[in-house]
Each structure stands twice: as structure tokens, then as C-alpha cells.
Amino acid sequence: MAGKISRPMLALYAAFSTFLVVLFTLFSYFHSIKQKDWLLELFRRKVFYIPFFFHILLLSMLAGLLTFLLISIVQKAQYGRIEEKLRLLAAGNYDSPLLGKKIPHPDNDVYINDIDADISAVRSRLMEMSKELQILNSRPQVFDGETREEILEEERHRLARELHDSVSQQLFGAMMMISALNEQAQKSETSDMFKKQLAIVGDVINASQSEMRALLLHLRPVSLEGKSLKKGIEQLLKELKTKIKIELTWDVEDVCLSNSIEDHLFRIVQELLSNTLRHAKANELEVYLHQVGENVLLRLVDDGVGFDMNENENKAGSYGLKNIRERVAGMGGSIKIISFKGQGTSVEIKVPVIKEEQTDDQSNAGG
């Protein structure tokens, strides 16, 4: 009832009801003492020089105002919880305990009860859709006898091999030549301008080598090649630590996921590392992987240059983030990116857990 009648109307009803109750009570009192012209008496008698009748009106108005405030507080608490539940659903926190709690409401308030039931139904449907997306993405798509993943992996191998055998080797040779010229310039009487130019060229080549290492990291195979996701990420980070001057810290735990989801997450880690190395200019990078409830949480945080979220669509690295968003959506997960210019970037990915046995059973049923 309270959900269908506006608060001002309820306050008006309360004020009018209070007025009638007080008036009827006074009428009963005056009638019992056989007081005639009782209504006129209410105007005659005064309290603080104000007729008693106006005190009754003031009391009724205060009762209406109090009713309005109480209903506002109750409704704000109810709608606040509805808003919080919707925000959790939008963020992909389907396993939050708050979503399982019913919103308190009067027994006769069917309106709030219906909204709460609809939110629960939406939550169940979103969880089902997340699982269905994972199942569909775990099924290989075949093109001319080869799966999409096999085609992409072969192409990445080819590009990585050509870049390593040609451009990477040439950059290494150029760096050796610049180092030799720098040593010779230091020993001979060479102008400071020429030494500065050699140093600038050396820095450019060194930056190009770092860019090449990041590209080769980006082109590494998608498959974990039989390793667990934990071992694959740790091996990737340990290898990266020996090649790139960046402080790496990580906290990665074993998680129970299907092979296809682990491959997707591993690829996402590769792309995020590649983006960080190529664009963030970070000195520190943290990687976390944990299972929280029915979700797997992957988080990467760097202290790089950051970027403006509103201006990133056409900036460098936005294509990689777009691919990552598509991968996360394909797994039925959610992604939250927080970045500010000069303050680094945080990427948090949450993917619902679906057991391997369930995936296999439903895949066989579908086949």
C-alpha cells in the first residue's frame, strides 16, 4: 500500500486522521460535562494567547510531518538496498551475500516484494547466462579443418619468429655498434654534441628493443601447454623479470577452472603485460589471482603514466583493452578499469567459476 500511495498523500491522511481523532475526543469530553457550544469554546479558550483550536491544527500538521519523515526514512532504506543490489548485478558480483537477503518491508507492501523477487530472478538468469557463455566459448570453432585458436596460434608463431629473426637481431646488432662507437668516442677527442647524439641513438635503440620484447611477449602461444594457470603465469613473470627492468610482485594461487577459461585468462595476462610494457612506462607491476567465493579474481596494478578513461578510445593500447573486454564478456565475467593520468592503472577481472565436469556434461548433452 505504501509503495502505491505517495508520501504527501499518506502524510495528509495522517494529519486529517489526527485532527478528527483529537476533535472527536474533545467533543466526547465536552459532551460528558454537558458543555454546550463546545466548538465555540475551542476558539474561546487560549494557550499562549492562541485559540486551542489552532493548537489542534498544529498538532495534526506535526503528526502528518512525522508520518512523512518516517515513511521517507523507511522507503530510503528500502530503495537504497534495491539500488545497491542493482549496482552489484551491474558489476557482476552475482555471489554477493547481499543479493540473497530479502529487503525488509511490511507484509502488505507487495510492491517492494515484487521488486525483490524480480531482482532475484535477474540474478539467477545472469548466472545461467554466464555459465552458458563459458560453455559456448569452450567449444572449438572449426574453419577448414582447423580451429580458430590453432589458426591464430600458427600466425602468432610465424610473426614472432620473423620478428625475432629479423628486426630483433638487427636491433641487437645496432645496439652493439652504438656501444662500440660510444666506447671509441669516450677514448678519442670527440665533441660533446656527437657524444650526446650517440647517447640519444642508443636510448632510442634500447627503447625499440624493449618494445620488441613486449611485442614478442604479446605474440606468445595462447595455450598453457599442459601447465596450470598458476604455473603458466609465474613462469611468464619470472621470464619477464630477467628481460625487462621492472619490479614485479605477484600473488597467484591455484584455481579450478576449465582449460578454455584458463587459456583465456592466461592470454589476458599476456595482453595486459604487453600493454603495460609498451605504453604504461611503469616501474612497478603487481599481479594477483585468487578465487573468491564462486568467482576468480584477476588483478593487475601498475604505477605507470595512466590515461584518461574518457579519452582512451582512440589512444594507443585501447585496441588491446577492447580485445580484453571481449574476452571477459565471452567468459560471462566483468572487468573494472581504474586509471588516472600520472597515477597508474588498475585492471580487475572477475570470472564466475564453472566446474570442468559440468562443462563437459553440458557440452556432450548439446552434441
Side-chain angles (χ1 to χ4, degrees), residues 24-36 38:
F24 179 76
T25 304
L26 290 173
F27 168 75
S28 301
Y29 170 73
F30 284 122
H31 182 72
S32 65
I33 63 174
K34 299 180 180 180
Q35 174 72 44
K36 297 181 179 180
W38 63 274

Side-chain angles (χ1 to χ4, degrees), residues 9 13 31 50 62 77 92 95 101 104 106 170 191 200 207 216 236 259 307 310 317 321 335 362 365:
M9 287 297 296
Y13 291 155
H31 182 72
I50 300 174
L62 288 176
D95 61 336
K101 294 181 180 179
Q170 290 172 3
S191 64
I200 292 173
L216 291 175
L236 183 65
N259 293 333
F307 57 87
N310 298 324
L321 290 178
I335 179 172
Q362 294 192 23

Side-chain angles (χ1 to χ4, degrees), residues 237-254:
L237 293 172
K238 289 176 181 177
E239 181 182 344
L240 190 64
K241 200 170 185 178
T242 61
K243 295 181 179 180
I244 306 294
K245 292 182 179 180
I246 185 172
E247 184 177 343
L248 289 171
T249 57
W250 62 84
D251 184 7
V252 180
E253 69 176 33
D254 274 319

Side-chain angles (χ1 to χ4, degrees), residues 60-180:
S60 302
M61 293 173 63
L62 288 176
L65 179 61
L66 183 61
T67 302
F68 181 85
L69 292 176
L70 288 175
I71 294 175
S72 298
I73 293 172
V74 172
Q75 288 188 344
K76 185 176 180 180
Q78 292 175 339
Y79 293 142
R81 294 196 180 186
I82 292 174
E83 183 181 357
E84 192 171 358
K85 284 189 173 186
L86 293 175
R87 191 179 292 112
L88 288 171
L89 289 178
N93 298 323
Y94 309 137
D95 61 336
S96 174
L98 182 62
L99 290 172
K101 294 181 180 179
K102 288 189 175 182
I103 300 173
H105 60 276
D107 295 336
N108 61 344
D109 195 343
V110 184
Y111 184 70
I112 297 295
N113 189 44
D114 290 343
I115 293 178
D116 203 11
D118 290 339
I119 291 176
S120 298
V122 170
R123 174 199 181 194
S124 300
R125 183 55 186 155
L126 286 173
M127 293 177 69
E128 291 176 4
M129 290 176 63
S130 297
K131 293 179 180 180
E132 290 173 3
L133 279 172
Q134 288 193 17
I135 294 169
L136 290 173
N137 278 277
S138 65
R139 298 173 182 172
Q141 301 177 8
V142 180
F143 303 94
D144 295 332
E146 287 185 298
T147 64
R148 178 176 177 270
E149 287 73 18
E150 289 173 344
I151 296 172
L152 291 174
E153 187 171 341
E154 289 177 4
E155 188 64 17
R156 288 192 184 98
H157 272 299
R158 184 185 67 80
L159 290 173
R161 188 166 53 250
E162 290 183 2
L163 287 172
H164 181 271
D165 294 343
S166 57
V167 181
S168 184
Q169 296 297 330
Q170 290 172 3
L171 286 173
F172 179 76
M175 192 65 193
M176 296 298 292
M177 293 174 62
I178 288 294
S179 298

